[in-house]
Amino acid sequence: MLLILLPMLMLMVTVRDYRVPGGAAPALNAVYYLYGVYLDTLQDLYKFPLMIDDMPHDNDPRKMFLGGLVLQRPSLLLLGDMLYAGFGGLCDAFNYTGSVVAVNLASRNVYRWATQAGPESLYTDDWTKWHGGGAGGIWQAGMALASDGKDVFFTIDNGGGSVDANVSTVPMSGKTHLDVLSESVTRITLDEENGLGVQLVDWFRPFDYQGDEGQDIGSGGFAVLDEAFKTLEGKRLGVATSKNSKMYIQDLDNLGGYRQGLNGSDGVLQTIHLDGEVFGGIGSYPLEGGYVYVNPGMAPLSAYAFTPSNSSQQLFTLAGKSSTSNPHWGGVGTPTVTSDQGKLGSGIVWVTDVERGLLAYKAVPVNGSLVKIPLPKVDGAMKHSRPVFGDGRVYLVDGTGTLVALGAT
């Protein structure tokens, strides 16, 4: 029954003030619940809301998952019966530890995995201490956790392992287990059958990461590209972006570890230098040769064309840019691509801007430029937002908080 009903569910993580009034200070009063409702009736899913708070992490029982210390910023990921949520600091304040919470919607089993675990991770009982739990939050400017249908991919920002830039220059394979993950693209898997819970599979950390100097990789999420994007060797591709103005093209099955490339450089398939810092992530279009789109702050929207070469050559090359730049450093939207049932020439890439509202461009650049499509004026947009689509309409929340729908006439 539950498997049939899942497509009709709306799922969210909510935080409520349910602890004893007058007890702890306000930050500790909050409690997280997983809340599911049926879309047709808006009634609660059976035995939900489900409390996911006030429990230790499976990989470090010292680290308690306390809702008042963390924010659930990334969009949720539903993978079969499993729902995944990522958590980071409340504006980096208090004694928090970044974590992933995985919930089996059928059995209601809950798994909590900390990014900063083990005896070498930071720890203190003082909940007011800044980064007392080691930090290492998962926020991605709201972009969802990604999956290849089995494992889960995401980025982790500043943590106890990289508060000081370039703590170590010793190369390390991404298949090496680490308890303390920071400034990393990370791949995990969930082993319920053997009772192992969430397990680390692979990771990548840039060789020139900058720790707490504002260049962290956690501002951008990770995108698993469509099967149309593969190297001639058959390698599956993923893309990570960050505040260090780079875009990393990675092998999904070998993310890159640390200093695994030539002369201690990054062991990724390709590194693309961008015009600005990225919040959120990329958009992709697998048709007409294949393109990815990135929307840096204070820079043009850019499109990169895919060439299915072997892993030692350039996989993506700049194909075009928008004629205008984003007027903001942060708050720009993640590109979203649509088409008319896959018809060639119908691809459109959409982005939001906190001042200019909703913008649209033809997906395939012409003579090095992204061609803008005229749209009705929308009064701005919410920070880091993206439009959604249904029944021939596009929906977004504008800068005043009003839900707006646009459709063809």
Side-chain angles (χ1 to χ4, degrees):
M1 178 71 75
L2 185 60
L3 289 176
I4 296 173
L5 290 173
L6 274 178
M8 297 187 292
L9 294 178
M10 178 172 66
L11 297 158
M12 67 199 80
V13 176
T14 61
V15 62
R16 297 182 182 178
D17 193 354
Y18 277 148
R19 298 187 192 274
V20 178
L28 282 184
N29 282 337
V31 177
Y32 269 106
Y33 283 78
L34 176 62
Y35 194 37
V37 299
Y38 295 101
L39 289 178
D40 53 351
T41 64
L42 296 184
Q43 292 181 331
D44 294 347
L45 180 64
Y46 180 60
K47 292 191 176 181
F48 282 77
L50 176 66
M51 183 174 176
I52 62 174
D53 207 284
D54 210 19
M55 293 292 290
H57 289 85
D58 300 333
N59 57 336
D60 191 337
R62 303 173 306 161
K63 306 292 183 71
M64 296 291 291
F65 181 85
L66 297 174
L69 303 185
V70 291
L71 292 177
Q72 190 269 312
R73 291 180 175 178
S75 299
L76 302 176
L77 168 66
L78 183 61
L79 190 60
D81 280 347
M82 296 304 306
L83 186 79
Y84 293 86
F87 294 83
L90 182 65
C91 295
D92 273 343
F94 309 125
N95 175 1
Y96 79 93
T97 300
S99 60
V100 172
V101 175
V103 181
N104 188 314
L105 299 180
S107 66
R108 297 185 298 283
N109 290 334
V110 182
Y111 305 89
R112 302 166 184 85
W113 180 84
T115 65
Q116 311 276 295
E120 295 185 0
S121 66
L122 297 179
Y123 173 75
T124 175
D125 288 324
D126 179 6
W127 69 269
T128 65
K129 184 174 176 58
W130 186 274
H131 289 186
I138 304 168
W139 69 287
Q140 305 184 159
M143 186 175 177
L145 308 182
S147 177
D148 62 353
K150 176 181 180 294
D151 295 342
V152 179
F153 301 77
F154 50 88
T155 62
I156 300 173
D157 67 10
N158 300 329
S162 67
V163 171
D164 297 319
N166 297 320
V167 171
S168 173
T169 59
V170 178
M172 186 179 297
S173 167
K175 307 299 183 181
T176 304
H177 179 80
L178 291 180
D179 281 329
V180 180
L181 287 155
S182 176
E183 302 287 359
S184 304
V185 177
T186 306
R187 178 182 183 181
I188 59 172
T189 194
L190 179 62
D191 187 346
E192 281 197 294
E193 184 176 349
N194 297 305
L196 298 178
V198 174
Q199 300 290 298
L200 176 65
V201 177
D202 196 6
W203 53 271
F204 160 72
R205 177 186 293 168
F207 81 96
D208 56 351
Y209 67 88
Q210 295 297 312
D212 60 353
E213 297 180 15
Q215 298 292 315
D216 62 90
I217 199 169
S219 70
F222 186 81
V224 174
L225 295 185
D226 186 86
E227 288 289 320
F229 297 92
K230 277 188 176 181
T231 70
L232 293 179
E233 299 169 335
K235 293 182 178 180
R236 303 180 302 157
L237 302 181
V239 182
T241 53
S242 70
K243 288 169 66 179
N244 67 357
S245 301
K246 292 181 181 179
M247 183 164 64
Y248 300 100
I249 311 301
Q250 296 172 260
D251 178 355
L252 285 187
D253 299 305
N254 183 16
L255 293 178
Y258 179 57
R259 292 182 176 267
Q260 295 293 291
L262 184 65
N263 298 322
S265 61
D266 289 329
V268 297
L269 300 181
Q270 184 181 358
T271 300
I272 299 173
H273 293 265
L274 304 175
D275 296 325
E277 302 176 11
V278 179
F279 292 82
I282 66 144
S284 64
Y285 180 56
L287 305 177
E288 302 183 70
Y291 294 84
V292 297
Y293 309 86
V294 63
N295 194 29
M298 301 183 71
L301 172 69
S302 298
Y304 292 83
F306 175 64
T307 302
S309 60
N310 63 45
S311 59
S312 64
Q313 296 177 338
Q314 298 291 300
L315 293 168
F316 290 91
T317 55
L318 181 64
K321 297 183 178 183
S322 62
S323 59
T324 57
S325 296
N326 302 309
H328 302 281
W329 163 69
V332 295
T334 299
T336 304
V337 186
T338 63
S339 71
D340 182 6
Q341 300 181 1
K343 295 178 183 177
L344 298 183
S346 68
I348 299 175
V349 55
W350 309 77
V351 292
T352 60
D353 185 282
V354 293
E355 284 189 4
R356 296 181 293 173
L358 182 64
L359 307 174
Y361 301 86
K362 291 185 177 180
V364 178
V366 177
N367 298 324
S369 297
L370 284 165
V371 179
K372 189 174 182 180
I373 300 173
L375 294 177
K377 175 64 177 177
V378 175
D379 189 10
M382 302 301 289
K383 185 177 179 181
H384 302 313
S385 64
R386 62 194 308 172
V388 295
F389 304 86
D391 296 329
R393 295 180 176 87
V394 54
Y395 300 86
L396 77 155
V397 177
D398 70 13
T400 69
T402 302
L403 178 63
V404 177
L406 302 177
T409 57

